[in-house]
Amino acid sequence: MIDLHTHSTASDGTLAPADLVREAAAQGLTQLALTDHDTLAGLSAARAAAAGTGLRLVPGVELSVRWEGLSLHIVGLNVASDDAGLAAGLVRQQAARLERARAIAERLRRLGCGAAAERALADTAMPTRAHFARALVATGDAADTNTAFRRWLRRGRPAYVPGAWVSLAEGIAWIRAAGGIAVLAHPLRYALGSAAMKRLLGAFRDAGGEAIEVVSGNATPHDIGIVLEQARRFGLLASAGSDFHAPAPWLAPGRLAPLPATATPVWSRWT
Ligand code: AMP
Ligand code: MN
Ligand code: MN
Ligand code: MN
């Protein structure tokens, strides 16, 4: 089993990197990519925990990028964690995250959720909307994180603030310059029409993107078929990643459908 998209406490996951690696090894995974949002901070602990187990740790990152006014996610796989250009880019992304988090907090204060705002800001150096959602649950302002997103945090809701992310093309360039492979993450989550999806896949490939998540999270067989066809049309390799954030009885790293036999796996590039 291979899982090339997961999160740790270095961003918005709930397991420390070493615990994530132990959990993945216990599940029998042979390869695990740690792909925290806009940071490589969890990689050294993950690498140390993977040493001596049967698990290959694939160093990764999930970049937030902007394209046609939208925020999209690009996973970089097998990036050199000491690349200076990528590190400098991630410093910029982190600054954009902090600035956006302050703006979200200000909106939440005005909406009467000041305690949740302070709690989220104090929680992490790499604030995401998931931190705000969890804080809103902890203070009793929302029943669950889904409600917090629907009521406040989603695009179009009163505490939504867009991030000043890197452009799609520049983000892909950072990944490639660090020796990595750029993967379009969870392509169906952007809910694009077919014309916009074609433009995106064209722009992604033209900028040097090489793979797409054919199997992601809780994809249905129908979803998998759609993305497999997009991969074939645009000549992209196929990746598989759970987007694991937190353990649940039904959720673990590596809990995802197998890649279809006709797909060319992205890991054929390094194994
Ligand atoms: P950000 O990158 O700060 O915009 O935060 C995005 C993160 O929030 C995603 O990576 C998910 O972990 C989480 N997220 C986004 N939408 C939802 C949702 N509807 N319910 C729960 N978590 C979500
Ligand atoms: Mn996340
Ligand atoms: Mn994502
Ligand atoms: Mn993710």
Side-chain angles (χ1 to χ4, degrees), residues 7 12 37-38 62 64 71 73 97 100 104 127-131 133-134 145-146 149-150 154 160 165 186 189 243 245:
H7 297 273
D12 59 351
H37 294 286
D38 301 302
E62 181 172 19
S64 295
S71 291
H73 287 174
R97 277 203 173 274
R100 182 183 68 147
I104 292 174
T128 71
R129 285 182 295 159
H131 292 92
R134 287 187 201 130
T145 54
N146 227 339
F149 272 95
R150 276 209 317 271
R154 254 172 35 181
Y160 177 78
W165 312 130
H186 40 63
R189 209 183 294 167
D243 204 6
H245 284 76

Coordinates of all heavy atoms in Angstrom, one line a residue, residues 7 12 37-38 62 64 71 73 97 100 104 127-131 133-134 145-146 149-150 154 160 165 186 189 243 245, ligand 1:
H7 N -1.0 14.5 6.2 CA -0.7 15.7 7.0 C -0.3 15.3 8.5 O -0.8 14.3 9.0 CB -1.8 16.6 7.1 CG -2.1 17.2 5.7 ND1 -1.5 18.3 5.2 CD2 -3.0 16.7 4.7 CE1 -1.9 18.5 4.0 NE2 -2.8 17.6 3.7
D12 N -1.9 20.9 9.5 CA -3.2 20.7 10.2 C -3.6 19.3 10.4 O -4.8 19.0 10.6 CB -4.3 21.4 9.3 CG -4.4 20.9 7.9 OD1 -3.5 20.1 7.5 OD2 -5.4 21.2 7.2
H37 N 0.9 21.3 4.6 CA 0.6 22.6 3.9 C 1.8 23.6 4.0 O 2.1 24.1 5.1 CB -0.7 23.2 4.5 CG -1.9 22.4 4.3 ND1 -2.6 22.3 3.1 CD2 -2.6 21.7 5.2 CE1 -3.6 21.6 3.2 NE2 -3.7 21.2 4.5
D38 N 2.4 23.8 2.9 CA 3.4 24.9 2.8 C 4.5 24.9 3.8 O 5.1 25.9 4.2 CB 2.7 26.3 2.9 CG 1.6 26.5 1.8 OD1 2.0 26.4 0.7 OD2 0.4 26.6 2.2
E62 N 2.5 20.2 0.4 CA 1.3 20.6 -0.4 C 1.2 22.1 -0.4 O 1.0 22.8 0.6 CB 0.0 20.0 0.3 CG -1.3 20.4 -0.5 CD -2.5 19.7 0.1 OE1 -2.5 19.2 1.2 OE2 -3.5 19.7 -0.7
S64 N -0.3 25.7 -1.5 CA -1.5 26.4 -1.9 C -1.1 27.4 -3.0 O -0.1 28.1 -2.9 CB -2.1 27.2 -0.8 OG -2.6 26.4 0.3
S71 N -8.1 29.2 -5.2 CA -7.0 28.6 -4.5 C -7.0 27.1 -4.9 O -8.0 26.4 -4.7 CB -7.2 28.7 -3.0 OG -7.0 30.0 -2.6
H73 N -4.5 23.2 -4.8 CA -3.4 22.6 -4.1 C -2.6 21.7 -5.0 O -3.1 20.9 -5.8 CB -4.0 21.7 -2.9 CG -4.6 22.5 -1.8 ND1 -5.2 22.0 -0.7 CD2 -4.5 23.9 -1.6 CE1 -5.6 22.9 0.1 NE2 -5.1 24.1 -0.4
R97 N 0.2 32.9 5.0 CA -0.7 32.2 5.9 C -0.9 33.0 7.2 O -2.0 33.1 7.7 CB -0.1 30.9 6.3 CG -0.4 29.8 5.3 CD -0.4 28.4 5.8 NE -0.8 27.5 4.7 CZ -2.1 27.2 4.5 NH1 -3.1 27.7 5.3 NH2 -2.4 26.5 3.5
R100 N -3.1 36.1 6.5 CA -4.5 35.7 6.3 C -5.1 35.3 7.6 O -6.3 35.6 7.9 CB -4.6 34.5 5.3 CG -6.1 34.2 5.0 CD -6.2 33.0 4.1 NE -5.7 31.8 4.7 CZ -6.3 30.6 4.4 NH1 -7.3 30.4 3.6 NH2 -5.7 29.5 5.0
I104 N -8.5 36.5 9.2 CA -9.7 35.7 9.6 C -10.0 35.9 11.0 O -11.2 36.0 11.4 CB -9.3 34.2 9.3 CG1 -9.1 33.9 7.8 CG2 -10.3 33.2 9.9 CD1 -8.6 32.5 7.5
P127 N -0.8 28.4 10.5 CA -2.3 28.3 10.6 C -3.0 28.0 9.3 O -2.7 28.6 8.3 CB -2.6 29.7 11.1 CG -1.5 30.6 10.7 CD -0.3 29.7 10.6
T128 N -4.0 27.1 9.4 CA -4.9 26.8 8.3 C -6.3 27.1 8.8 O -6.6 27.2 9.9 CB -4.8 25.4 7.8 OG1 -5.3 24.5 8.8 CG2 -3.3 25.0 7.6
R129 N -7.2 27.0 7.8 CA -8.6 27.2 8.2 C -9.1 26.0 9.1 O -10.0 26.2 9.9 CB -9.5 27.3 6.9 CG -9.4 28.6 6.3 CD -10.4 28.7 5.1 NE -9.9 27.7 4.1 CZ -10.7 27.3 3.1 NH1 -12.0 27.6 3.0 NH2 -10.2 26.4 2.2
A130 N -8.4 24.9 8.9 CA -8.7 23.7 9.8 C -8.5 24.1 11.3 O -9.2 23.6 12.1 CB -7.9 22.5 9.4
H131 N -7.4 24.8 11.6 CA -7.2 25.3 12.9 C -8.3 26.1 13.5 O -8.8 26.0 14.6 CB -5.9 26.0 13.0 CG -4.7 25.2 12.8 ND1 -4.1 25.0 11.6 CD2 -3.9 24.4 13.6 CE1 -3.1 24.2 11.6 NE2 -2.9 23.8 12.9
A133 N -11.4 26.1 12.4 CA -12.6 25.2 12.5 C -12.5 24.4 13.8 O -13.5 24.4 14.5 CB -12.7 24.2 11.3
R134 N -11.4 23.9 14.1 CA -11.3 23.1 15.4 C -11.4 24.0 16.6 O -12.0 23.6 17.6 CB -9.9 22.4 15.5 CG -9.9 21.2 14.5 CD -8.6 20.4 14.7 NE -8.4 19.6 13.5 CZ -7.2 19.6 12.8 NH1 -6.1 20.3 13.3 NH2 -7.1 18.9 11.7
T145 N -16.5 20.5 12.8 CA -15.7 21.3 11.9 C -16.4 21.6 10.5 O -16.3 22.7 10.0 CB -14.4 20.7 11.6 OG1 -14.6 19.4 11.1 CG2 -13.5 20.6 12.8
N146 N -17.2 20.6 10.1 CA -18.0 20.9 8.9 C -18.9 22.1 9.0 O -19.0 22.9 8.1 CB -18.8 19.6 8.6 CG -18.6 19.2 7.1 OD1 -18.3 20.0 6.3 ND2 -18.9 17.9 6.8
F149 N -17.0 25.3 8.8 CA -16.7 25.7 7.4 C -17.9 26.2 6.7 O -17.8 27.3 6.0 CB -16.1 24.5 6.6 CG -14.6 24.4 6.8 CD1 -14.0 23.6 7.7 CD2 -13.8 25.1 5.9 CE1 -12.7 23.5 7.9 CE2 -12.4 25.0 6.0 CZ -11.8 24.2 7.0
R150 N -19.0 25.5 6.9 CA -20.2 26.0 6.2 C -20.7 27.3 6.6 O -21.2 28.1 5.9 CB -21.4 24.9 6.4 CG -21.3 23.8 5.4 CD -22.7 23.2 5.2 NE -23.4 23.1 6.4 CZ -23.4 22.0 7.2 NH1 -22.8 21.0 6.9 NH2 -24.1 22.0 8.3
R154 N -15.8 28.8 4.7 CA -15.8 28.5 3.3 C -15.9 29.8 2.4 O -16.3 30.8 2.9 CB -17.1 27.7 2.9 CG -16.7 26.3 2.7 CD -17.8 25.3 2.5 NE -19.0 25.8 1.9 CZ -20.0 25.0 1.7 NH1 -20.0 23.7 2.1 NH2 -21.1 25.4 1.1
Y160 N -14.3 34.1 5.6 CA -13.4 33.7 4.5 C -12.5 34.8 4.0 O -13.0 35.9 3.7 CB -14.2 33.1 3.3 CG -13.3 32.7 2.2 CD1 -12.7 31.5 2.2 CD2 -13.1 33.6 1.1 CE1 -11.8 31.1 1.2 CE2 -12.2 33.2 0.0 CZ -11.6 32.0 0.1 OH -10.7 31.6 -0.9
W165 N -1.5 33.5 -2.2 CA -0.6 32.4 -2.5 C 0.2 32.7 -3.7 O -0.1 33.5 -4.6 CB -1.4 31.1 -2.7 CG -2.4 30.8 -1.7 CD1 -3.7 30.4 -1.9 CD2 -2.2 30.7 -0.3 NE1 -4.4 30.2 -0.8 CE2 -3.5 30.3 0.3 CE3 -1.2 30.9 0.6 CZ2 -3.7 30.2 1.7 CZ3 -1.4 30.8 2.0 CH2 -2.6 30.4 2.5
H186 N -6.3 16.3 -5.3 CA -7.8 16.2 -5.3 C -8.5 17.0 -6.4 O -9.2 18.0 -6.0 CB -8.4 16.5 -3.9 CG -7.7 17.6 -3.2 ND1 -7.8 18.9 -3.7 CD2 -7.0 17.7 -2.0 CE1 -7.1 19.7 -2.8 NE2 -6.6 18.9 -1.8
R189 N -12.3 18.2 -6.2 CA -12.7 19.1 -5.1 C -13.0 20.5 -5.5 O -13.6 21.3 -4.8 CB -11.8 19.0 -3.9 CG -12.5 19.2 -2.6 CD -11.6 19.2 -1.4 NE -11.0 17.9 -1.2 CZ -9.9 17.7 -0.3 NH1 -9.5 18.7 0.3 NH2 -9.4 16.5 -0.2
D243 N -5.0 12.1 1.7 CA -5.2 13.4 2.4 C -5.6 13.2 3.9 O -6.4 13.9 4.4 CB -6.3 14.2 1.7 CG -6.2 15.7 1.9 OD1 -5.2 16.1 2.5 OD2 -7.1 16.4 1.5
H245 N -5.7 13.4 7.7 CA -5.4 14.4 8.7 C -5.5 13.9 10.1 O -4.8 14.4 11.0 CB -6.4 15.6 8.5 CG -6.2 16.5 7.4 ND1 -6.5 16.2 6.1 CD2 -5.7 17.8 7.4 CE1 -6.2 17.2 5.3 NE2 -5.7 18.2 6.0
Ligands
AMP1 P1 -6.4 26.4 4.1 O1 -5.3 25.8 3.3 O2 -5.9 27.3 5.3 O3 -7.4 27.2 3.3 O4 -7.2 25.2 4.8 C1 -7.6 24.2 4.0 C2 -7.8 23.0 4.9 O5 -9.0 23.0 5.6 C3 -7.8 21.7 4.0 O6 -6.6 21.2 3.8 C4 -8.6 20.8 4.9 O7 -7.8 20.1 5.8 C5 -9.6 21.7 5.7 N1 -10.9 21.8 5.1 C6 -11.3 22.5 4.0 N2 -12.6 22.4 3.8 C7 -13.1 21.7 4.8 C8 -14.4 21.2 5.2 N3 -15.5 21.5 4.5 N4 -14.5 20.5 6.3 C9 -13.4 20.1 7.1 N5 -12.2 20.5 6.7 C10 -12.0 21.3 5.6

